[in-house]
Amino acid sequence: MTVSYTAEVATCSHFGCFWKLLMRWRASIYKIIWVDLLAFLSCFYFMAVIYRYALRDVDKPIFEDIVMYCHSYSNLIPLSFVLGFYVGIIIERWWNQYITVPWPDPLAVYVSALVRGQDEHGRLMRRTIMRYVCLALTMVLSMISPVIKRRFPTYDQLIEVGLLNANEANIMKAMDVKFPKHPKYWMPIVWAASIVTRARKEGRIWDDFSLKSMIDELNKFRAGCNMLIHYDTISVPLVYTQVVTLAVYSYFVASIFGHQWIDRDIKHYNNIVSYYFPLFSTLEFFFFMGWLKVAETLICPFGDDDDDFELNWLIDRNLQVSYLIVDEMHNDHPQLVRDQYWDEVFPAELPYAVESDRAEHPEASTARLGIPKVVPVTMTKSEVSLENDFTEFDDEDEYNTEVTIRFARREFSWSKSSVSVSYSYDNQSIDTLDEKVDEENEVDTRTLDSSNKDDFDRLKEKRDRERVNRQKQQAALAMELIKGDLASNGSARSSRTNVPQKSSEVQTDRSYISQKKREDDTDNDKDNDKDSDESKK
């Protein structure tokens, strides 16, 4: 489980509070790196002994050239950049995996509050729902964690701890035979959703909104389990991990040669401290290799490392707390009593065990900011001159410092064929106002109306003109037909033989007139419909 040291660093002292943590061994950098550091120092001293005691004087210059070459070109490896960026990704991934682990507590509260019933069947429903949820999470953890896999290698171990029944295990085994490629962690969640739906049909859940809330919480829990599977299958790209590992180890292999003491009159290579112990080389190895070990430890937080998540505790805790919420605490609460501030409505000051611990109330950042006073400017006279407006002033306004502007009110009157706009002020029409203003400020009403027309008014007038023109054309056509009808009636008296033919012609003309009228009526109805649609828009 992750080692917690928050209590020890809660209050910082003069020289810092992290010094207290340097002597810890569990989950420390010493425990992770001591084997690698021992191997590095062993190789370093082995090469030093070879150079000082095993090589001949003729061979030493070759070794010294290798040392100078490694020391000069080892800094070309961008170790800080590559390693720092990689560790940043691993730390973010590690924390995201922790917050992805779903907790059954919200669903347990929903089940306890919404699935009603004090009888044995209601209690069985609530406990079974939460058992299925805990079973689903346990199956997911056994797929991604070696620790949980060792604890629950088969369905039999799940039956022993009470997370699974024999009948349910047989159903899962049958599904594994039919569909062996896909994990079956979602099956308990489907069973839990079926129980919730059954409780709604039996009336144990009062409304559909409560049912939806529980189904949504089940889907949220399933999404968390699914995301854990994704974190397990989709790792940090292998090529990035290989680049970081090669960069670190190649750098320190070059440091074994490049940081050696050599017998040359060069300042950087014949330091007396390096002759006995490579101090700064050791510190450099300590930091960079420790950085890499941090990434190796946190890349998979579901293992056996000291900083990995304690999943066994999580499984036990989830089942115990879930049963406690839905069974022991179901439909139960303490007795309602008045609080000690009942008569005061709210406390003015809360008591402290030590009065000196009472802190001052926080203030806003601009609470004590000094603002210079601004002297207002007083106006003695205001004159407003507006042309072609409807603002009216009294005689007293010349000596009043306040300016009052009143605007004319626009009134609309609608009819089937036209729209008129008029302006009024204090329930008086604009014509009455025009009598009160001077002749120089009079406004032509027609010009005002035409200037205030919008596109809709112009379209309306155009339609009216077209309708009048059609009516004139129809009237002229009707007059021509009537004249022809009268002429045909005069000729019918002279010859009866032509009566059927003339009467048929008149009947044809009348039918043509009626047809034209119907077409005009249809056109008028369409125009009215268009006008109404445009007015709505």
Side-chain angles (χ1 to χ4, degrees), residues 393-408:
F393 296 96
D394 297 333
D395 296 337
E396 299 177 356
D397 292 337
E398 297 180 359
Y399 307 100
N400 192 0
T401 57
E402 297 181 355
V403 179
T404 303
I405 300 176
R406 289 173 288 184
F407 296 93

Side-chain angles (χ1 to χ4, degrees), residues 158-180:
L158 294 173
I159 296 174
E160 291 178 1
V161 299
L163 288 172
L164 190 66
N165 294 334
N167 184 27
E168 299 164 352
N170 293 331
I171 296 174
M172 288 188 174
K173 291 178 181 178
M175 292 293 292
D176 290 336
V177 173
K178 293 182 180 179
F179 306 99

Side-chain angles (χ1 to χ4, degrees), residues 410-422 457:
R410 181 181 296 181
E411 296 181 355
F412 296 87
S413 60
W414 299 84
S415 64
K416 294 184 177 179
S417 61
S418 63
V419 179
S420 62
V421 182
S422 62
D457 296 334

Side-chain angles (χ1 to χ4, degrees), residues 462-530:
K462 183 179 179 182
R463 294 277 175 82
D464 292 339
R465 288 193 298 269
E466 293 176 354
R467 188 181 299 110
V468 171
N469 293 333
R470 286 197 302 268
Q471 291 176 357
K472 290 179 180 180
Q473 294 174 2
Q474 293 170 4
L477 180 61
M479 291 297 295
E480 295 293 334
L481 293 175
I482 291 172
K483 290 179 181 180
D485 191 8
L486 293 175
S488 63
N489 289 334
S491 62
R493 295 176 182 178
S494 60
S495 63
R496 293 181 179 180
T497 57
N498 295 330
V499 170
Q501 182 178 0
K502 294 293 183 178
S503 61
S504 61
E505 291 178 358
V506 172
Q507 186 176 0
T508 303
D509 295 337
R510 289 178 179 176
S511 62
Y512 178 75
I513 293 172
S514 61
Q515 182 179 358
K516 280 293 184 179
K517 289 182 178 180
R518 285 194 298 270
E519 290 177 358
D520 294 338
D521 295 337
T522 304
D523 294 336
N524 294 333
D525 294 337
K526 290 182 179 180
D527 293 337
N528 293 329
D529 293 338
K530 289 181 181 180

Side-chain angles (χ1 to χ4, degrees), residues 239-414:
V239 60
Y240 199 5
T241 304
Q242 291 176 341
V243 166
V244 173
T245 305
L246 289 175
V248 174
Y249 281 96
S250 60
Y251 178 80
F252 285 108
V253 168
S255 298
I256 292 175
F257 292 93
H259 294 177
Q260 291 287 342
W261 179 90
I262 57 177
D263 191 10
R264 283 193 180 184
D265 192 12
I266 302 176
K267 182 178 180 181
H268 298 287
Y269 300 101
N270 60 356
N271 192 288
I272 191 62
V273 178
S274 300
Y275 182 84
Y276 294 101
F277 182 76
L279 177 61
F280 284 95
S281 299
T282 303
L283 292 177
E284 191 177 31
F285 183 88
F286 209 85
F287 299 145
F288 286 113
M289 186 59 68
W291 217 354
L292 180 64
K293 291 298 179 180
V294 168
E296 292 178 356
T297 303
L298 301 182
I299 193 170
C300 181
F302 303 110
D304 293 326
D305 297 325
D306 292 335
D307 277 317
D308 288 341
F309 306 146
E310 190 61 42
L311 300 179
N312 282 318
W313 168 85
L314 181 66
I315 293 173
D316 300 341
R317 180 259 174 205
N318 286 344
L319 188 63
Q320 295 169 357
V321 173
S322 299
Y323 282 163
L324 178 64
I325 293 175
V326 301
D327 195 2
E328 182 68 22
M329 299 183 63
H330 172 65
N331 201 18
D332 188 18
H333 60 81
Q335 183 182 0
L336 297 177
V337 295
R338 294 183 178 183
D339 58 86
Q340 63 183 22
Y341 305 106
W342 179 268
D343 296 330
E344 303 177 14
V345 181
F346 63 92
E349 293 286 347
L350 294 179
Y352 282 76
V354 180
E355 191 62 27
S356 60
D357 293 340
R358 187 184 299 276
E360 297 181 358
H361 294 285
E363 294 182 351
S365 57
T366 59
R368 301 180 181 274
L369 182 64
I371 301 177
K373 294 183 179 181
V374 179
V375 180
V377 179
T378 305
M379 297 179 62
T380 58
K381 186 177 181 179
S382 298
E383 295 181 358
V384 178
S385 177
L386 298 175
E387 295 182 0
N388 298 331
D389 65 347
F390 307 101
T391 305
E392 183 178 354
F393 296 96
D394 297 333
D395 296 337
E396 299 177 356
D397 292 337
E398 297 180 359
Y399 307 100
N400 192 0
T401 57
E402 297 181 355
V403 179
T404 303
I405 300 176
R406 289 173 288 184
F407 296 93
R409 184 175 60 190
R410 181 181 296 181
E411 296 181 355
F412 296 87
S413 60
W414 299 84

Side-chain angles (χ1 to χ4, degrees), residues 107-120:
L107 179 61
V109 174
Y110 273 113
V111 172
S112 179
L114 301 179
V115 181
R116 316 297 296 177
Q118 299 289 344
D119 55 342
E120 183 178 356

